[in-house]
């Protein structure tokens, strides 16, 4: 979808969301955007990048934003969005329809302090970076819940939730790191050349916020990994205890089987003719079981 033209202090802004083949052709024909650029900026597998083409007068920004697969289960991945300055016209590409990107764009548009296209771009990036923070806080809340489950019986649903947290943290941590690397590089590019003090301040604000988000995800990743390690250790200990119990129980049940089998043979055996021989075999079995348990206890196998 290509939305109607808007202006940012006299600069045209063309907003696109999930464009199709026909709309791609419109961008090529009406605005003269190269087909390769459109393919690049709408590729959902692209990573963070900044490209400047002096010959075509083109600046291309690609950053990663959080994309919810299931908010309730905290399942997130990241998807790219692009901003293209093409011959004095700003184009934005939100091919995945990411709500956080739409919010960031219109927040920058409505901000009275945004008085240039460059400020609009940086303010949008700032809001996108900030959009990672509520997700980090939700992860912290879920992680605290799972941490309390360590003292209780862990359910399969808890293990699934932990797996989702690890997957989400992997995607988001990587995205935050690559975004921050590009934000650190951006002031040294053509986009940052000759920046006035307001623009320098915006650069610093975005970088500081990006570093804060990166630290938040690093801490969450470390804590969630420790919880996972602890749960694995508890599961192994519980399995060992179960196997120990089953081993002792099988040894205990083997004793009466051996005694009864021995006296069940069709041959003459000592004491077999006694009236209460069955009580004798029972007593021998009990005595051997008790002796075996005492030996296991003495050898610290129980």
């Amino acid at each position: 979808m290509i939305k109607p033209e808007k202006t940012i202090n006299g600069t045209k802004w063309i907003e696109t969301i999930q464009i199709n083949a026909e709309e791609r052709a419109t961008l090529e024909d009406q605005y003269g955007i190269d087909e390769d650029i459109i393919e690049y900026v709408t590729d959902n597998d692209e990573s963070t990048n900044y490209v400047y083409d002096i010959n075509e007068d083109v600046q291309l920004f690609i950053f990663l934003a959080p994309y919810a697969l299931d908010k309730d289960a905290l399942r997130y991945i990241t998807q790219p969005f692009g901003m293209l300055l093409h011959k004095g016209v700003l184009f934005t590409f939100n091919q995945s329809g990411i709500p956080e990107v739409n919010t960031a764009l219109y927040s920058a548009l409505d901000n009275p302090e945004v008085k240039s296209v460059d400020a609009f771009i940086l303010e949008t990036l700032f809001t996108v970076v900030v959009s990672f923070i509520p997700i980090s806080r939700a992860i912290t809340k879920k992680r605290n819940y799972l941490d309390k489950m360590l003292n209780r019986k862990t359910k399969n649903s808890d293990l699934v939730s932990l797996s989702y947290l690890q997957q989400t943290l992997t995607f988001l941590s990587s995205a935050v790191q690559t975004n921050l690397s590009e934000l650190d590089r951006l002031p040294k590019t053509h986009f940052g050349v000759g920046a006035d003090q307001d623009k320098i301040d915006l650069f610093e604000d975005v970088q500081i916020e990006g570093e804060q988000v990166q630290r938040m995800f690093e801490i969450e990743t470390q804590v969630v990994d420790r919880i996972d390690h602890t749960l694995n250790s508890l599961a192994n200990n519980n399995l060992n205890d179960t196997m120990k119990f089953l081993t002792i129980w099988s040894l205990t049940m083997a004793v009466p089987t051996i005694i009864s089998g021995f006296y069940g043979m069709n041959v003459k055996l000592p004491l077999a003719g006694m009236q209460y021989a069955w009580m004798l075999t029972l007593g021998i079995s009990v005595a051997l079981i008790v002796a075996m348990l005492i030996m296991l206890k003495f050898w610290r196998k129980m």
Side-chain angles (χ1 to χ4, degrees):
M1 175 174 59
I2 301 177
K3 291 194 172 184
E5 291 184 4
K6 305 176 185 64
T7 58
I8 305 169
N9 276 351
T11 301
K12 289 183 180 180
W13 170 31
I14 310 298
E15 180 187 8
T16 73
I17 301 175
Q18 297 175 325
I19 58 175
N20 54 34
E22 182 179 348
E23 291 165 337
R24 290 169 188 251
T26 299
L27 292 176
E28 294 175 28
D29 298 337
Q30 186 172 344
Y31 298 99
I33 303 177
D34 190 77
E35 180 183 359
D36 291 338
I37 294 178
I38 296 178
E39 287 293 332
Y40 182 74
V41 79
T42 57
D43 186 355
N44 286 335
D45 295 323
E46 284 299 330
S47 184
T48 306
N49 198 8
Y50 169 79
V51 178
Y52 171 59
D53 188 337
I54 189 172
N55 296 321
E56 297 292 335
D57 189 20
V58 167
Q59 293 186 75
L60 174 61
F61 306 79
I62 295 181
F63 281 83
L64 297 174
Y67 182 79
L69 297 177
D70 185 344
K71 284 189 176 182
D72 294 333
L74 283 179
R75 296 189 65 189
Y76 282 85
I77 58 174
T78 56
Q79 291 290 313
F81 71 97
M83 291 181 284
L84 175 68
L85 275 172
H86 181 266
K87 298 180 180 180
V89 179
L90 176 64
F91 298 84
T92 59
F93 297 85
N94 186 6
Q95 193 62 16
S96 298
I98 307 169
E100 287 79 3
V101 173
N102 295 331
T103 300
L105 290 171
Y106 283 93
S107 175
L109 181 66
D110 295 337
N111 190 336
E113 297 182 0
V114 174
K115 299 178 180 179
S116 67
V117 174
D118 290 356
F120 176 85
I121 293 172
L122 289 174
E123 190 67 31
T124 299
L125 295 180
F126 178 85
T127 307
V128 170
V129 170
V130 170
S131 70
F132 284 87
I133 294 179
I135 303 174
S136 177
R137 289 173 178 165
I139 291 174
T140 300
K141 184 177 180 180
K142 187 68 174 181
R143 182 254 299 166
N144 288 334
Y145 167 78
L146 293 174
D147 193 23
K148 294 178 181 178
M149 291 296 103
L150 293 176
N151 295 325
R152 306 176 187 177
K153 184 177 180 181
T154 305
K155 302 177 183 178
N156 289 339
S157 59
D158 296 330
L159 297 177
V160 171
S161 296
L162 182 62
S163 176
Y164 287 161
L165 284 188
Q166 290 177 313
Q167 294 174 29
T168 294
L169 284 170
T170 298
F171 283 113
L172 299 189
S173 296
S174 176
V176 168
Q177 185 175 358
T178 55
N179 281 350
L180 182 59
S181 296
E182 193 61 34
L183 289 171
D184 291 339
R185 188 177 76 92
L186 209 53
K188 305 171 186 176
T189 64
H190 176 78
F191 183 70
V193 173
D196 57 18
Q197 189 58 48
D198 290 339
K199 191 172 180 180
I200 292 174
D201 291 341
L202 282 174
F203 274 127
E204 292 179 351
D205 289 343
V206 178
Q207 289 168 340
I208 290 171
E209 202 67 26
E211 290 171 356
Q212 177 185 346
V213 173
Q214 184 185 37
R215 285 193 297 270
M216 293 173 69
F217 279 109
E218 285 177 351
I219 293 172
E220 287 304 320
T221 299
Q222 293 174 7
V223 175
V224 170
D225 286 344
R226 289 183 181 179
I227 292 175
D228 179 60
H229 178 74
T230 303
L231 284 176
N232 287 333
S233 298
L234 290 173
N236 290 333
N237 287 338
N238 291 336
L239 179 61
N240 290 337
D241 291 341
T242 301
M243 294 304 297
K244 182 187 293 185
F245 171 78
L246 292 176
T247 300
I248 294 174
W249 182 257
S250 62
L251 290 174
T252 302
M253 292 297 98
V255 172
T257 302
I258 293 172
I259 300 300
S260 60
F262 182 76
Y263 273 93
M265 293 187 296
N266 294 323
V267 295
K268 290 185 177 181
L269 296 171
L271 308 175
M274 293 178 56
Q275 182 178 1
Y276 298 103
W278 66 274
M279 296 184 64
L280 177 63
T281 59
L282 182 62
I284 294 173
S285 298
V286 172
L288 290 175
I289 290 173
V290 172
M292 182 186 66
L293 293 177
I294 291 174
M295 286 189 295
L296 290 174
K297 187 70 174 179
F298 179 75
W299 290 338
R300 300 184 183 276
K301 299 296 183 181
M302 293 179 62

